[in-house]
């Protein structure tokens, strides 16, 4: 079957909750993917940063196959020999004390919100039913009803109410706006250190440090959502490290499994995650041995191949090369590490058509919001591959 036929079948039988580029991928390796017609593309999205280690990384695939031959699922009714090691390795690597494993990013965010509320009632002493959680404009945390409750993107909420009470919105990047919203009932502040879906928005220097201080002063938990910005994408293991802070809770997902399996987690302290007692929260697949084995190897690859450092260095290079393109379409080039947003001027006519042009030239990337092209290739990309990608970007952007 060819591209057209696959698309027709998907359009007929699959729900239309996405608007993908019309490329049908059947094979991938490292930074490259191939479509069903045999055409090769450089992947500059990396499945929204789930494939930081590169597609089908041989070590991760081997860990997955080996574990699949042993045991894939025990449920948490029984213990397995992978979960303890993943929890220990994650804590040693990140400096947190405890891990709660889940599957998707949205589940990790939900878990963090539940932990924060329970902590608020059991530890902080907020009156039952009164807990407030503060979130930011332009945030993205996933698609459950409670998470879209605090989205400021009209489409994410349209038709999905009634929503969950207990959330407040403040302006992203504005610590004063956050400070004003704090009340004695505030239990947590959830924030992305760099907003990914929001258009690769880096907040002003000092913002995270300031909100971290305000959280400490007011006994409010700081939750940084690092599902996209974390695990090397930003050029540090976590993007919050740019400001030398230590949040109370961190959500991770996406690259935690190198794109091989859905694995997410909440990292925190005993004081916070300790509020969960047996039966309070759970997931059939959360902490399953297959996911844990894949995650353990994905983390080892990240460290041993120095992908965090590579992201920092090549990100600077990628942005510098993009800035050399002679074009009047670009408003701003921003980001940290290999987490790059190219914002086009409104006159440029929307980012989608440039993504479609790049696809024809063999580079896959996706518009985020109307005017931003996000470049977030697997962190295993080489300098030569960046040069080639920039050459293609030049062809679509140069006047
Ligand atoms: C992708 C993402 C999520 C949701 O992850 P899913 O696995 O799609 O549920 C949450 N937060 C951030 C910052 C993300 O980028």
């Amino acid at each position: 079957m060819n591209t057209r036929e696959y698309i027709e079948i998907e359009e007929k039988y699959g729900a239309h909750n996405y608007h993908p580029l019309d490329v049908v991928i059947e094979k991938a390796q490292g930074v490259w993917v191939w479509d069903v017609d045999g055409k090769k593309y450089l992947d500059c999205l990396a499945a929204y940063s789930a494939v930081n280690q590169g597609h089908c990384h041989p070590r991760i695939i081997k860990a997955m196959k080996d574990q699949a031959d042993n045991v894939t699922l025990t449920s948490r009714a029984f213990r397995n020999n992978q979960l303890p090691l993943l929890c220990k390795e994650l804590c040693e690597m990140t400096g947190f004390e405890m891990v709660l494993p889940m599957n998707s990013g949205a589940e990790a965010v939900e878990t963090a919100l539940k932990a924060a509320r329970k902590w608020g009632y059991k530890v902080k002493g907020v009156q039952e039913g009164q807990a407030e959680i503060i979130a930011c404009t332009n945030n993205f945390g996933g698609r459950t009803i409670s998470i879209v409750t605090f989205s400021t993107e009209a489409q994410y909420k349209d038709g999905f109410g009634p929503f969950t009470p207990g959330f407040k919105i403040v302006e992203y990047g504005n610590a004063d706006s956050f400070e004003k919203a704090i009340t004695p009932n505030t239990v947590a502040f959830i924030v992305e250190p760099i907003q990914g879906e929001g258009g690769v928005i880096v907040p002003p220097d000092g913002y995270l440090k300031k909100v971290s201080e305000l959280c400490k002063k007011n006994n409010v938990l700081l939750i940084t959502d690092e599902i996209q910005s974390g695990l090397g994408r930003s050029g540090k293991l976590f993007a919050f490290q740019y400001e030398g802070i230590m949040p109370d809770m961190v959500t991770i997902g996406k690259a935690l499994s190198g794109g091989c399996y859905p694995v997410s987690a909440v990292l925190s302290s005993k004081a916070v995650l300790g509020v969960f007692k047996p039966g309070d929260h759970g997931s059939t697949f959360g902490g399953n041995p297959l996911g844990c084995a894949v995650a353990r190897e994905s983390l080892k690859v990240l460290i041993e191949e120095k992908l965090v450092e590579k992201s920092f260095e090549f990100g600077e290079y990628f942005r510098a090369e993009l800035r050399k393109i002679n074009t009047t379409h670009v408003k701003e080039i921003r980001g940290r590490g290999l987490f790059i947003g190219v914002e086009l001027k409104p006159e440029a006519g929307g980012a989608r058509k440039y993504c479609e042009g790049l696809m024809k030239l063999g580079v896959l990337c996706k518009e985020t919001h109307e005017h931003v092209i996000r470049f977030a290739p697997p962190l295993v990309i080489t300098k030569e591959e960046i040069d080639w990608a920039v050459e293609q970007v030049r062809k679509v952007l140069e006047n």
Side-chain angles (χ1 to χ4, degrees):
M1 284 197 282
N2 64 24
T3 296
R4 197 37 50 203
E5 291 165 311
Y6 281 109
I7 292 172
E8 272 166 24
I9 294 170
E10 183 175 324
E11 292 298 297
K12 182 163 175 204
Y13 294 103
H16 296 179
N17 57 323
Y18 277 89
H19 181 30
L21 290 181
D22 282 341
V23 54
V24 181
I25 295 165
E26 68 170 3
K27 191 176 136 55
Q29 188 62 56
V31 297
W32 298 96
V33 302
W34 287 263
D35 73 10
V36 290
D37 302 324
K39 189 173 170 192
K40 183 182 173 186
Y41 304 84
L42 199 158
D43 180 1
C44 272
L45 181 65
Y48 301 97
S49 296
V51 195
N52 284 0
Q53 297 87 339
H55 288 279
C56 299
H57 194 291
R59 282 179 58 180
I60 306 172
I61 296 297
K62 179 167 189 312
M64 183 157 75
K65 285 181 176 164
D66 289 349
Q67 186 60 40
D69 282 335
N70 290 335
V71 56
T72 57
L73 184 60
T74 53
S75 83
R76 298 289 301 274
F78 312 124
R79 297 181 190 263
N80 71 68
N81 69 350
Q82 294 299 312
L83 173 63
L85 303 180
L86 173 62
C87 292
K88 178 171 185 269
E89 287 159 10
L90 261 175
C91 286
E92 287 172 354
M93 184 175 170
T94 62
F96 288 93
E97 292 175 339
M98 259 191 185
V99 177
L100 200 164
M102 295 297 280
N103 310 286
S104 67
E107 283 176 310
V109 172
E110 285 276 348
T111 301
L113 300 174
K114 285 176 79 175
R117 282 185 169 184
K118 193 138 195 149
W119 173 88
Y121 298 126
K122 306 290 174 190
V123 180
K124 182 168 175 170
V126 173
Q127 211 188 347
E128 191 56 42
Q130 300 300 307
E132 293 167 356
I133 293 175
I134 301 176
C136 291
T137 50
N138 202 37
N139 73 76
F140 184 81
R143 303 295 202 139
T144 67
I145 286 177
S146 289
I147 295 171
V148 300
T149 292
F150 57 86
S151 175
T152 57
E153 188 69 34
Q155 195 197 350
Y156 295 178
K157 304 183 72 163
D158 181 32
F160 300 124
F163 298 105
T164 307
F167 294 99
K168 273 190 185 172
I169 304 292
V170 299
E171 192 194 340
Y172 185 62
N174 180 343
D176 291 338
S177 165
F178 169 58
E179 185 170 20
K180 287 198 189 88
I182 299 171
T183 75
N185 291 332
T186 306
V187 296
F189 177 48
I190 180 162
V191 63
E192 295 154 86
I194 297 173
Q195 289 184 328
E197 297 314 294
V200 193
I201 310 287
V202 183
D205 283 344
Y207 172 66
L208 290 175
K209 206 166 161 50
K210 191 80 215 289
V211 296
S212 167
E213 285 162 9
L214 288 168
C215 283
K216 285 205 169 61
K217 193 173 130 201
N218 292 282
N219 199 21
V220 168
L221 299 178
L222 176 61
I223 308 170
T224 60
D225 182 350
E226 294 260 8
I227 290 166
Q228 192 161 156
S229 58
L231 303 179
R233 175 52 61 190
S234 76
K236 301 243 186 223
L237 184 60
F238 293 116
F240 67 70
Q241 292 171 329
Y242 278 98
E243 303 234 330
I245 62 161
M246 190 67 174
D248 300 290
M249 268 194 272
V250 178
T251 51
I252 54 175
K254 295 195 169 124
L256 180 52
S257 61
C260 292
Y261 197 88
V263 186
S264 68
V266 175
L267 309 174
S268 187
S269 60
K270 287 181 181 156
V272 175
L273 284 181
V275 299
F276 285 125
K277 300 288 177 266
D280 280 353
H281 185 56
S283 156
T284 303
F285 280 83
N288 73 78
L290 183 57
C292 291
V294 167
R296 292 180 63 206
E297 195 66 20
S298 301
L299 293 170
K300 287 192 185 111
V301 165
L302 205 64
I303 300 303
E304 288 168 23
E305 296 190 6
K306 301 207 177 333
L307 297 181
V308 183
E309 296 83 347
K310 268 192 76 178
S311 174
F312 186 89
E313 184 191 334
F314 286 2
E316 300 275 306
Y317 179 72
F318 202 150
R319 274 187 298 280
E321 290 301 303
L322 285 170
R323 289 202 173 97
K324 291 182 191 161
I325 295 174
N326 182 19
T327 173
T328 55
H329 295 318
V330 173
K331 183 174 163 199
E332 189 185 30
I333 295 172
R334 57 179 178 249
R336 276 186 166 145
L338 282 166
F339 199 12
I340 300 172
V342 174
E343 182 167 348
L344 305 176
K345 292 180 188 160
E347 316 79 274
R352 174 93 185 182
K353 69 175 191 198
Y354 298 94
C355 293
E356 284 168 351
L358 281 169
M359 184 180 98
K360 292 204 182 81
L361 295 171
V363 175
L364 292 183
C365 52
K366 189 74 168 62
E367 77 277 8
T368 165
H369 282 220
E370 217 185 315
H371 300 293
V372 181
I373 312 176
R374 167 175 30 192
F375 292 96
L379 308 181
V380 294
I381 196 168
T382 63
K383 233 173 188 149
E384 293 69 36
E385 286 160 343
I386 292 174
D387 289 339
W388 184 80
V390 171
E391 218 22 68
Q392 313 316 309
V393 180
R394 186 185 318 271
K395 285 179 202 161
V396 300
L397 280 183
E398 220 158 39
N399 302 95

